[in-house]
Amino acid sequence: VWTVLTGSLFVLRTRREDLCEAGDVFFEVRDHNFAGMATSLGGVAVDAEILVRSDGERLEFPLDSSGTLATDVRGSLALRFRLADKKDIDFMLDLEDRAKGITSLGKQKEPGNKKNSIHSPTAKTSGQTFTNALGITRSITKDKEGIERFRVQPCPDPDDVERTSWLTREELTLKSSARSTRWLSAGSGKLGRIHLEVLGCRGLPNMDTGILGDYTDAFVCAVFEDAIVQTDVIFDTLSPKFMPWCQRAFILNVTHPSSQLFLGVFDYGGMGKEHDHIGRIAINISNYSANTEYVQSYRIFPSSHAAGKDYGNITIRLRIEWYDEREVLMMALSPPPSMHLNISKKKNWKVAQMTCEGKYKMDSYSFDTL
């Protein structure tokens, strides 16, 4: 899935007559691998009339993989089109201005210097930059004072790109504690809501190769009643910190006051690979007072049996809000109802299962459980 932050928007500058005369507009999907090769997975030919007549609705086209090496591909490409108005053009110009003339430490580039960008160190700094198999650049650099700075993941603050592209360890910690600016609501409950912010993890085990800075690519999954959400991925660090402008903050609508909140930490597996389970924790929300903000760290364990060696910890900020406290007290007299999650992919289903149950099924006999 591409977003504005990953370059999903384009303005095609042409005349309507020229576009319709061209006939079809061709889109191609490619697989980018570690060696820099780009294998075609298929393409879509869209009639130019569709581009002209569409009004921003989502259109899905099946990929045509004939003539490619990926003949077994059965995927599709989702697109939106509409004629750009002045607001659209101004928005795109603003995006271009944000990316123009900014180096890794927020200084203006020299005209024509295309090598420096907000995703790589400047030529005058000493540092190291590696690219993993997913094409994700991870960088560490030093400024003129010799202070080590880290590229902010998954992206700098869209409202302050210059000052948030590269931060010191102390600045990362301070920023991660700031109030979240982007919230995602989930769940069907009407009793109240939980405000959950995943601030970071610390001391995670390395689930990757460790070669050339290839460390754990961490993300957190949260399951509560009939809702499942997850954070952005923070690549190549054993102590990820989630920034307030990224996907880390969730409003979970509550059905029952005794429901448990499950948090699971995973190593992102990438395309075609399973996500590796690191650890999880279960939180009973009935232990928390309403309208009180908590910042707490929990040790995480691979199974629901929280004993023995832990696998790092997770820090969250949590606040519970009830709409009707009398109804909450009445609901607490009965056990929580059974809930169901609708998950379309087996890969995501395993993430949900391990978040709720852990790596081992503690209620069944096996040597793995022992």
Side-chain angles (χ1 to χ4, degrees), residues 54-119:
S54 295
D55 192 28
E57 66 273 19
R58 175 190 169 99
L59 302 175
E60 197 161 318
F61 303 89
L63 285 178
D64 180 8
S65 60
S66 58
T68 71
L69 296 178
T71 54
D72 58 337
V73 171
R74 296 293 183 270
S76 61
L77 178 63
L79 301 166
R80 297 180 191 271
F81 311 101
R82 74 165 181 262
L83 295 179
D85 56 23
K86 185 178 185 302
K87 289 184 179 180
D88 294 325
I89 296 173
D90 289 343
F91 180 79
M92 292 300 297
L93 290 175
D94 182 61
L95 283 181
E96 292 174 5
D97 288 342
R98 287 176 182 270
K100 191 184 300 180
I102 301 174
T103 66
S104 61
L105 297 181
K107 299 179 180 178
Q108 294 295 319
K109 294 189 299 184
E110 295 179 3
N113 184 2
K114 296 184 179 180
K115 293 184 179 179
N116 292 334
S117 70
I118 61 174
H119 297 297

Side-chain angles (χ1 to χ4, degrees), residues 1 271 274 342-352:
V1 177
M271 297 295 293
E274 298 290 340
N342 293 319
I343 301 174
S344 59
K345 295 182 179 180
K346 183 178 180 180
K347 183 176 181 178
N348 297 334
W349 176 82
K350 286 187 175 181
V351 169

Side-chain angles (χ1 to χ4, degrees), residues 239-344:
S239 296
K241 291 179 174 60
F242 298 92
M243 296 295 103
W245 53 83
C246 75
Q247 185 167 303
R248 73 164 194 181
F250 310 99
I251 296 175
L252 305 173
N253 297 300
V254 183
T255 298
H256 195 280
S258 297
S259 295
Q260 285 191 311
L261 169 63
F262 300 97
L263 301 176
V265 183
F266 295 83
D267 174 47
Y268 181 74
M271 297 295 293
K273 297 181 181 179
E274 298 290 340
H275 303 310
D276 295 324
H277 179 250
I278 298 175
R280 44 87 69 188
I281 190 70
I283 301 172
N284 190 341
I285 65 170
S286 63
N287 295 329
Y288 293 84
S289 299
N291 301 317
T292 303
E293 185 175 272
Y294 298 85
V295 177
Q296 292 188 304
S297 292
Y298 295 91
R299 297 163 64 197
I300 58 174
F301 298 88
S303 72
S304 59
H305 182 56
K309 180 182 180 299
D310 64 71
Y311 282 71
N313 64 45
I314 181 172
T315 301
I316 65 170
R317 184 158 54 214
L318 184 144
R319 178 170 62 89
I320 299 176
E321 176 185 350
W322 299 123
Y323 301 141
D324 187 337
E325 292 194 3
R326 183 178 181 277
E327 186 179 358
V328 171
L329 292 174
M330 296 299 294
M331 289 289 294
L333 299 176
S334 60
S338 298
M339 293 287 182
H340 299 276
L341 289 172
N342 293 319
I343 301 174
S344 59

